Amino acid sequence: MRPILKVENLEVHFPHPGGVVRAVDGVSFVLRRGGTLGVVGESGSGKSLTALSILRLVQSPGKIAGGTIWYASGSEEGTAESDLLAISDRAIRQIRGAQIAMIFQEPMTALNPVLTIGEQIREGMTAHATLSRREAEARTIEIMEAVSIPAARQRMKEYPHQLSGGLRQRAMIAMALAPRPKLLIADEPTTALDATIQAQILDLLVRLKEELNLSLLIISHDLGVIAQIADEVAVMYAGKIVEFGPVAGVFGSPLHPYTEGLLKSVPRRSASNKSARRLESIQGTVPDPRQLPSGCAFHPRCKDDRGDICRRAPIPVATLEPDRQVRCVKHG
Amino acid sequence: MNLFAILRAVGSNRLALFGTAAGTLLILVALLAPVLTPFAFESQNLPLRLRPPSAAHWFGTDELGRDILSRVVYGTRISMSVGFSVVLVSSLVGLLAGSLAGYYGGWFDEALMRIVDILLAFPGILLAIALVAFWGPGLEKLIFALVSVGWVGYARLVRGQILKVRELDFVRAARSLGASNARIILRHLIPNIIQPILVQASIGMAGAILAEASLSFLGLGVPPPLPSWGAMLNDGRSHLFDAPYLVLFPGAATMLAVLAFNFLGDGLREVLNPRLQSGSRIAR
């Protein structure tokens, strides 16, 4: 079956005095239908911009400067593939919500303070179809129950400030899923939430994905979230994907020194080794995107720095095993 | 904050409460003018010229023997209708221009803001006088002149507010669900900025009432025999010492109306902005 989403050589640029910042630089990946792809990286790595590009929501002065995003709509063989970056504004608006929906990090600010929860959930439905009042209300309650908002009939008349953080995030998920999209993009869906609520929201996403037959693209800086929910992972650094592969493989035996560093900087207690492992950190800081290091942008922080070869030219993608890709001279 | 909460907060704010009560009274007087007036506002009774207040003529009579009470009551109609029309049209024009400029930016925004700057640099009343002098007298022309001057304040306010809210996450969330630009402006942006506009409209109402009185005082307002408070003040000017009630009552009416809407505006501002509130009253 054709993949639901195929991103090729995506470029997102920001102008700045003296040139452009390539915030997303040649990103390519494939999301299988029904699959869950996680994108990890530090802030500023371009992961959120990549997600926003899919729905063409990158805000000015940022600009999608190149690439293609193939989206295959429909579920059976009669799929129609279209380049989301090439279609008209009107056509992309038909895709937003109805085909591809998105949930955001801050459930406080991503809900409109002057509309009730019910009104906001209806927003997405009514943008694409005309529904009678009763139909819309029935579907609102149905979707609110699906995301486990208790007392839906009552809650839908409440305003966002009357809800807890966890309920607000559930309401936002309900809003995104109400138009019955095929692909859900979740940009840091649990970052703003308490740890216990985080787990609930992740469970909810997994359950909904199964029930509604969704494909899921999840953006997070939290490796734990990705490990728990995704089946494939893309690791981003300075606008590029540096490693791509199945979660078990990438997290079990990382190929790129950056992935390795990320994994080592996660606090963990293993059963075999009760004495605490020393927590490592990646030395240095994320480079200034206006002045990226030449060659591999990670080389100033890399513990495997091999000198000249890492600085000379951009590192090409190497494919190891059928499903593992990495940008590192170690695997050239 | 929903409407009910606003109403409740208004009830607990003295300024707003006074403004609401006085404003309601004026509107009722304007609506019920034919019932409330003992005489027709234009009927002259020359033998009874310049009579002081009495049982028959509570506010006295003017130079032409017309009942001042009736004229003040009918004057409320003129004041209120000019005030409401000016505020309504100005705020709608300002809302449209300001939200388009703030949302889309670009050349339209640039051009609009330059026009606004120029109009604001001009003394508004002077411009209104010039326009009325150019168009000639008449109620609609007066309203048009005041709207021509009045919309700029709303446009600038709305533009600023739109700039503030258009970057918020919920706007992006709405767009990610397929909302069109029109839908985003009408359903997501404007409801979020309506509070400061309400305040401005209330204070603008006072301004419009005063402006109408000023223009009528100068003879540029509503044509006689329609009773305008400003025109009545002008009529009474020459009898300031021998018949002060000629100016006292229309003057007091003007003051009451202006104060009422200014208080309402100030009260609304306090109610709608919790940071300006004193004491323990918390309005969300």
Side-chain angles (χ1 to χ4, degrees), chain A residues 52 57 59 93 96-97 100 102 104 106 109-115 119 123 126 128 159 161 175-176, chain B residues 1-2 166-181 183 187-189 191-192 284:
Chain A
L52 290 171
L57 292 172
Q59 271 165 341
R93 221 165 54 225
R96 290 175 187 159
I100 306 177
M102 191 156 178
F104 297 89
E106 283 290 340
T109 55
L111 292 171
N112 188 336
V114 303
L115 295 180
E119 282 170 326
E123 272 293 282
T126 51
H128 298 288
Y159 290 86
H161 72 262
M175 232 171 104
Chain B
M1 183 149 71
N2 61 30
R166 74 162 187 195
E167 304 292 340
L168 294 179
D169 283 352
F170 66 78
V171 177
R172 194 156 67 177
R175 193 170 290 129
S176 81
L177 285 172
S180 60
N181 289 325
R183 195 180 178 103
R187 189 155 166 80
H188 293 280
L189 296 182
N192 269 288
R284 266 186 305 198

Side-chain angles (χ1 to χ4, degrees), chain B residues 44-92:
Chain B
Q44 305 181 1
N45 190 347
L46 289 175
L48 287 177
R49 305 171 62 226
L50 297 171
R51 290 297 160 92
S54 64
H57 300 281
W58 289 4
F59 287 3
T61 60
D62 70 0
E63 267 184 325
L64 298 171
R66 295 176 295 195
D67 181 50
I68 292 178
L69 173 61
S70 305
R71 293 182 63 76
V72 167
V73 167
Y74 267 95
T76 315
R77 269 197 166 180
I78 305 286
S79 273
M80 292 298 128
S81 49
V82 170
F84 270 113
S85 323
V86 169
V87 166
L88 190 70
V89 181
S90 308
S91 58
L92 286 179

Side-chain angles (χ1 to χ4, degrees), chain A residues 79-317:
Chain A
T79 52
E81 223 177 10
S82 49
D83 178 3
L84 299 182
L85 299 183
I87 59 180
S88 69
D89 285 351
R90 199 188 178 77
I92 189 79
R93 221 165 54 225
Q94 302 296 324
I95 299 273
R96 290 175 187 159
Q99 297 284 333
I100 306 177
M102 191 156 178
I103 56 179
F104 297 89
Q105 176 172 353
E106 283 290 340
M108 188 65 242
T109 55
L111 292 171
N112 188 336
V114 303
L115 295 180
T116 63
I117 298 301
E119 282 170 326
Q120 303 198 49
I121 293 173
R122 278 195 286 279
E123 272 293 282
M125 296 191 289
T126 51
H128 298 288
T130 37
L131 290 172
S132 75
R133 210 187 149 72
R134 187 174 301 175
E135 269 177 308
E137 195 175 298
R139 262 175 73 179
T140 304
I141 290 171
E142 187 189 330
I143 191 80
M144 285 175 79
E145 280 166 355
V147 300
S148 310
I149 296 179
R153 197 168 284 280
Q154 212 177 309
R155 288 285 182 196
M156 73 179 187
K157 297 193 187 86
E158 296 187 347
Y159 290 86
H161 72 262
Q162 294 170 284
L163 268 56
S164 67
L167 279 184
R168 279 200 290 263
Q169 190 59 292
R170 284 173 198 274
M172 194 148 73
I173 294 171
M175 232 171 104
L177 294 180
R180 298 179 179 157
K182 306 283 187 297
L183 167 60
L184 181 66
I185 302 171
D187 185 3
E188 303 269 10
T190 60
T191 306
L193 304 172
D194 292 345
T196 49
I197 310 292
Q198 276 192 15
Q200 290 174 12
I201 296 291
L202 286 182
D203 286 346
L204 176 69
L205 284 176
V206 171
R207 178 166 65 77
L208 289 171
K209 179 182 165 301
E210 295 307 321
E211 284 176 11
L212 304 173
N213 221 346
L214 292 169
S215 309
L216 190 60
L217 179 67
I218 184 160
I219 316 289
S220 185
H221 69 277
D222 185 340
L223 299 171
V225 167
I226 303 288
Q228 198 178 332
I229 193 171
D231 36 58
E232 285 184 303
V233 60
V235 181
M236 283 191 75
Y237 187 79
K240 287 190 163 73
I241 293 181
V242 294
E243 182 161 1
F244 186 92
V247 166
V250 172
F251 287 179
S253 55
L255 296 173
H256 198 283
Y258 176 63
T259 317
E260 208 178 313
L262 276 183
L263 287 163
K264 282 194 178 142
S265 61
V266 177
R268 195 174 1 198
R269 245 172 85 179
S270 59
S272 56
N273 186 7
K274 279 269 169 67
S275 62
R277 173 179 64 92
R278 188 175 164 76
L279 200 58
E280 290 179 33
S281 64
I282 304 175
Q283 54 169 326
T285 52
V286 182
D288 182 348
R290 287 168 299 184
Q291 289 174 323
L292 286 182
S294 63
C296 170
F298 187 61
H299 77 253
R301 306 174 70 186
C302 185
K303 62 180 176 53
D304 287 342
D305 187 0
R306 299 197 172 177
D308 193 38
I309 189 168
C310 293
R311 289 165 177 74
R312 211 182 304 142
I315 315 298
V317 177

